[in-house]
Amino acid sequence: MKNTQILGWSITVALAGFLFGFDTVVISGADQPIQELWGTEGFTHTFFIMSMALWGTVIGAIFGGIPCDAIGRKRTLFWIGILYFASAIGSAIAWDPISFSFFRFIGGLGVGASSVAAPVYISEISSANNRGRLVALYQFNIVFGIFIAFFSNYFLGEFIEENAWRYMLGVEALPALIYVVMVLNVPNSPRWLAVKKKDESAARTVLAKIYEPEEVEIQLREIQEAEANTSKVSNRTLFSRNYSFPLMLAFLLAFFNQASGINFVLYFAPRLLEAAGIGKEEVLLQSTSIGAVNLIFTLLGMYLIDRMGRRSLMYIGSFGYITTLSIIAWGYATGQPSILILSGILLFIASHAVGQGAVIWVFISEIFPNEVRANGQAFGSGTHWVFAALITLISLPVITWVGELTGDGDKPWPIFAFFAAMMVLQLLFVIFLMPETKGKSLEELDELLGHGKNTQAEIKG
């Protein structure tokens, strides 16, 4: 296998993740300045300003499998870059909450579609031995984008006095443009060419760039045989009995990813740090530490995912989640020093990065057969983003409501206690349901998971 070639393509496609991460978190620096500028409050602020991009992400994720199958993974990735570019420019020049929401929605479409197209593309050009690390490049780029967004917000906030938030949002246009140019140089997915396009010659040409000459026909035959087997046992629709188990796996993994509270912490980091007692002038600087820890432990997750396996990392992450979320909830509830709460948040981020963060996009991209992989990825990604949007939308109102009931003000301890309880359920999911996909080809996983032939007990482990 020509690993250097595959690595180059994977890095290029994974840059969609950088734009994903940057676009998702850059809003944290604009949150309060926009609220002061346009006077948005309560539901209006959380819906139109903070969560509108997430609703775009939901649409992009749910329907992202359609262009992936119709025009191919490569062209879909190209248009995703165009959406990011348009969103960055539009958000920076927005003149009122409605225009701002529109351009943020466009960026969200790009985020959602990229969470379908990029993992699917990388999984389809990689091998069983390196698929985990290569697909995890997408997650690495997400957290790298998050880190750069936190740092960029801090830097621009320090040196630009007026309308710094516009520059925070607009600077994304440059990497988006670079990505659009770079993605033109990657080939189409050979599995898409063979299965969806029915272009055996083009598939063979791409496979020749990936494999040694003697391996090309073997790989092409495996892809065609897997597709033929799928045709025999399936009606080719995702929501059929044959795919009920991978659908359940994708739904639960995506649900628990957001039930951990990760997007809540990333979106509202400055507010959470202020609530812990950190001064307003320091919160953007302290937010960069969240991005740095996320980056470091994502690298660790990438190193371990093909060595320890997906399920082992989920064990580590689950125990870390439960411990750190409990500490954060206790810290807010009892008024502990800000350093304890900040430490708990940083360890929570580390637990996410080495566990769910490293695993989610890899695992979902593996568990569906070639014939329905893009739509299966769209289902898992759509589930992820629906719950991300809902949690972002209701978190602040819930904190205020609970604070009024308890007399604790806007202390966010109840929501962190809820997230900790959800992670106990995630641990049970890992113990009793989650199979290990490490070291198996996509076609082997198709045989194990895609035909409804095996019980959960037979494939777990």
Side-chain angles (χ1 to χ4, degrees):
M1 217 175 166
K2 301 173 184 177
N3 291 322
T4 302
Q5 183 84 284
I6 297 167
L7 178 62
W9 296 337
S10 298
I11 290 172
T12 297
V13 170
L15 289 176
F18 175 86
L19 297 168
F20 168 163
F22 193 99
D23 191 87
T24 299
V25 169
V26 72
I27 189 65
S28 67
D31 170 20
Q32 291 168 305
I34 286 177
Q35 191 170 36
E36 294 171 4
L37 174 65
W38 288 326
T40 53
E41 295 289 345
F43 179 82
T44 300
H45 183 72
T46 56
F47 183 78
F48 286 102
I49 303 302
M50 296 304 294
S51 70
M52 183 54 70
L54 283 172
W55 293 111
T57 301
V58 169
I59 302 300
I62 290 174
F63 296 103
I66 296 174
C68 278
D69 284 343
I71 63 174
R73 287 57 159 146
K74 175 183 175 177
R75 288 185 183 176
T76 301
L77 288 163
F78 171 82
W79 286 107
I80 285 167
I82 298 297
L83 289 173
Y84 280 129
F85 180 80
S87 174
I89 298 297
S91 299
I93 64 172
W95 49 93
D96 60 20
I98 300 301
S99 61
F100 182 83
S101 298
F102 173 75
F103 288 113
R104 287 293 293 165
F105 182 84
I106 289 175
L109 292 175
V111 170
S114 81
S115 65
V116 177
V120 165
Y121 179 91
I122 298 173
S123 73
E124 291 184 343
I125 64 167
S126 53
S127 70
N129 293 329
N130 64 12
R131 188 174 60 245
R133 291 191 299 275
L134 292 179
V135 178
L137 279 171
Y138 179 70
Q139 176 65 18
F140 168 78
N141 273 277
I142 292 173
V143 299
F144 185 51
I146 289 170
F147 172 69
I148 295 299
F150 278 133
F151 181 79
S152 174
N153 284 354
Y154 167 68
F155 180 82
L156 293 171
E158 283 288 302
F159 293 101
I160 297 177
E161 294 184 4
E162 188 175 354
N163 288 326
W165 67 269
R166 294 187 182 274
Y167 294 90
M168 293 176 186
L169 294 163
V171 73
E172 185 187 354
L174 179 59
L177 189 60
I178 293 171
Y179 166 76
V180 165
V181 174
M182 290 181 65
V183 83
L184 291 173
N185 295 315
V186 304
N188 280 304
S189 158
R191 285 180 167 87
W192 175 77
L193 289 168
V195 174
K196 294 294 182 181
K197 192 77 170 174
K198 305 297 183 184
D199 192 339
E200 182 178 314
S201 176
R204 185 180 287 107
T205 299
V206 177
L207 288 170
K209 297 178 181 180
I210 299 175
Y211 295 95
E212 300 302 328
E214 63 275 12
E215 298 178 288
V216 172
E217 291 302 324
I218 296 172
Q219 295 298 321
L220 182 59
R221 186 165 60 251
E222 286 185 2
I223 293 170
Q224 292 172 331
E225 288 175 355
E227 197 272 337
N229 290 336
T230 300
S231 300
K232 291 176 184 177
V233 300
S234 171
N235 59 8
R236 292 178 177 243
T237 62
L238 178 64
F239 295 100
S240 66
R241 184 176 179 277
N242 293 311
Y243 304 131
S244 59
F245 187 53
L247 282 169
M248 180 184 66
L249 293 174
F251 176 87
L252 290 175
L253 189 70
F255 166 75
F256 285 126
N257 183 282
Q258 286 306 302
S260 70
I262 182 62
N263 269 39
F264 171 71
V265 172
L266 294 176
Y267 267 58
F268 297 109
R271 288 179 184 262
L272 294 172
L273 296 178
E274 279 191 48
I278 295 174
K280 182 174 290 189
E281 66 281 357
E282 297 180 49
V283 294
L284 287 178
L285 176 61
Q286 294 295 347
S287 295
T288 64
S289 64
I290 293 175
V293 168
N294 204 0
L295 186 66
I296 292 167
F297 280 86
T298 295
L299 285 170
L300 178 61
M302 287 176 61
Y303 175 79
L304 295 175
I305 193 166
D306 281 327
R307 290 172 171 84
M308 294 181 65
R310 291 60 158 152
R311 198 159 171 253
S312 296
L313 293 188
M314 287 293 291
Y315 272 118
I316 294 170
S318 297
F319 283 115
Y321 275 146
I322 294 165
T323 303
T324 57
L325 288 167
S326 299
I327 290 172
I328 295 167
W330 174 73
Y332 277 120
T334 59
Q336 296 300 311
S338 60
I339 186 63
L340 176 71
I341 296 175
L342 176 60
S343 298
I345 290 174
L346 293 177
L347 289 172
F348 162 76
I349 294 293
S351 300
H352 172 80
V354 81
Q356 266 272 15
V359 170
I360 180 170
W361 305 118
V362 175
F363 186 78
I364 295 176
S365 73
E366 296 174 319
I367 59 177
F368 293 99
N370 293 327
E371 183 67 26
V372 296
R373 180 168 298 112
N375 288 328
Q377 183 79 22
F379 172 79
S381 181
T383 301
H384 171 277
W385 289 115
V386 165
F387 285 106
L390 289 174
I391 288 172
T392 302
L393 180 64
I394 68 174
S395 292
L396 292 184
V398 166
I399 289 171
T400 301
W401 176 66
V402 172
E404 291 172 352
L405 289 179
T406 62
D408 284 341
D410 285 345
K411 290 184 178 180
W413 70 264
I415 202 160
F416 280 103
F418 169 79
F419 293 147
M422 288 295 99
M423 292 304 93
V424 174
L425 296 180
Q426 175 179 275
L427 180 59
L428 296 176
F429 160 72
V430 176
I431 293 171
F432 294 109
L433 290 176
M434 185 177 179
E436 180 56 74
T437 57
K438 180 189 75 168
K440 298 180 177 69
S441 73
L442 294 178
E443 284 67 38
E444 287 174 322
L445 290 171
D446 181 358
E447 284 295 312
L448 288 171
L449 297 170
H451 298 160
K453 297 183 300 185
N454 298 351
T455 65
Q456 295 164 7
E458 288 171 335
I459 62 177
K460 184 167 68 71

